[in-house]
Amino acid sequence: MQEVEFVTKGEIVLIHNEVIDCILTRRSTRMFKEQQMEPEQLETLLETARWAPSGGNNQSWLFTAIQDKVKLLKLNDLVKEGFQHWIPDDDYPGKLGAKKSSQKEGYNFYYQAPTLIIASNRPNYENAMADCSLALENIFISANSLGLGSCYINQLHWLRNDQGVRDFLFELGVPREHTICSAAAVGYIDKESKAPIRSENTIHIII
Ligand SMILES: Cc1cc2nc3c(=O)[nH]c(=O)nc-3n(C[C@H](O)[C@H](O)[C@H](O)COP(=O)(O)O)c2cc1C
């Protein structure tokens, strides 16, 4: 039987292994190096996305990885433009802030990461977001294991009905009928992010 290693964290005792370590050390990166990842790294990230669970084994997602800098910058311009006439439809606190910062000089919604992976899914499918989010988490954890940083990017989900953004994504192969669920910015880390404190009282064990 495999030997189990333990590590104490404050008052709790955790089992220690590479996978758990990789999950716990993942952070959202917001400063990336220009250097592109290796093709095998991208293949690996996308393969781990494909192996995420999906509701009823639907696998109706599509992962579109963009590494062309000119196309990424064009998408950034369209996001900036889209935010100008976008009205948040709920009180999610980040939305107004995101709209405001999009009009600032030098704004870049994917933090100038050299790779952006967009997760879209078929319409009218209740588990579209859940499936894509699980796939994205696989990308985030795998990226960390490969020495890459990553960040969840919400802007394309918010602007999923924006005509300019959708026309361009269609040109890039994202079907018009797909809903844009989420995106992942990935690349080598230029500046490590601090770990935000985890909230207390979010775990309840009943024995
Ligand atoms: C649904 C969701 C949407 C997010 N959207 C963004 C985003 O648009 N931009 C961003 O910088 N971070 C985004 N994040 C990352 C969170 O800010 C981050 O996970 C949180 O602050 C905790 O930090 P950590 O990931 O380093 O542990 C998002 C995370 C989730 C789960």
Side-chain angles (χ1 to χ4, degrees):
M1 196 174 129
Q2 208 184 343
E3 219 168 276
V4 180
E5 258 184 64
F6 295 98
V7 59
T8 50
K9 205 174 168 200
E11 286 176 8
I12 56 171
V13 179
L14 299 177
I15 294 172
H16 178 254
N17 67 33
E18 267 184 41
V19 176
I20 290 167
D21 201 40
C22 189
I23 291 169
L24 296 179
T25 58
R26 178 213 55 82
R27 293 280 69 79
S28 294
T29 299
R30 297 190 180 85
M31 283 185 88
F32 294 92
K33 289 189 174 150
E34 243 189 282
Q35 185 195 345
Q36 187 56 273
M37 68 180 79
E38 299 302 319
E40 308 78 53
Q41 289 178 311
L42 180 63
E43 294 289 346
T44 305
L45 298 181
L46 296 170
E47 188 63 5
T48 65
R50 260 172 23 95
W51 281 91
S54 62
N57 192 26
N58 257 274
Q59 300 184 46
S60 49
W61 43 41
L62 176 70
F63 305 103
T64 304
I66 313 174
Q67 294 192 313
D68 181 318
K69 203 173 171 181
V70 175
K71 291 193 168 69
L72 281 171
L73 288 172
K74 170 143 192 220
L75 187 56
N76 192 53
D77 286 343
L78 291 166
V79 163
K80 280 201 272 192
E81 212 175 297
F83 266 131
Q84 281 185 32
H85 37 84
W86 175 74
I87 301 159
D89 51 5
D90 62 22
D91 58 1
Y92 182 92
K95 282 188 175 177
L96 273 180
K99 182 178 162 81
K100 227 171 150 184
S101 21
S102 70
Q103 305 310 310
K104 287 187 190 151
E105 179 92 24
Y107 172 77
N108 187 285
F109 80 95
Y110 53 90
Y111 303 110
Q112 281 154 335
T115 299
L116 182 72
I117 303 170
I118 301 170
S120 62
N121 214 326
R122 70 175 170 84
N124 307 315
Y125 166 48
E126 192 189 36
N127 290 319
M129 279 297 276
D131 292 0
C132 284
S133 299
L134 289 167
L136 236 60
E137 178 69 350
N138 276 9
I139 291 178
F140 298 151
I141 303 300
S142 309
N144 190 28
S145 79
L146 299 176
L148 297 163
S150 63
C151 190
Y152 193 115
I153 300 293
N154 232 344
Q155 281 75 357
L156 294 176
H157 173 63
W158 294 338
L159 293 172
R160 63 193 176 282
N161 297 321
D162 180 88
Q163 195 61 48
V165 168
R166 288 315 298 251
D167 284 349
F168 187 55
L169 291 181
F170 180 66
E171 267 179 48
L172 300 180
V174 180
R176 283 211 189 271
E177 69 277 13
H178 263 206
T179 182
I180 310 296
C181 295
S182 43
V186 196
Y188 287 102
I189 301 170
D190 195 32
K191 190 172 170 232
E192 300 275 351
S193 298
K194 269 208 203 151
I197 293 169
R198 259 39 191 178
S199 305
E200 296 293 335
N201 304 321
T202 56
I203 294 173
H204 191 194
I205 300 174
I206 298 141
I207 38 177

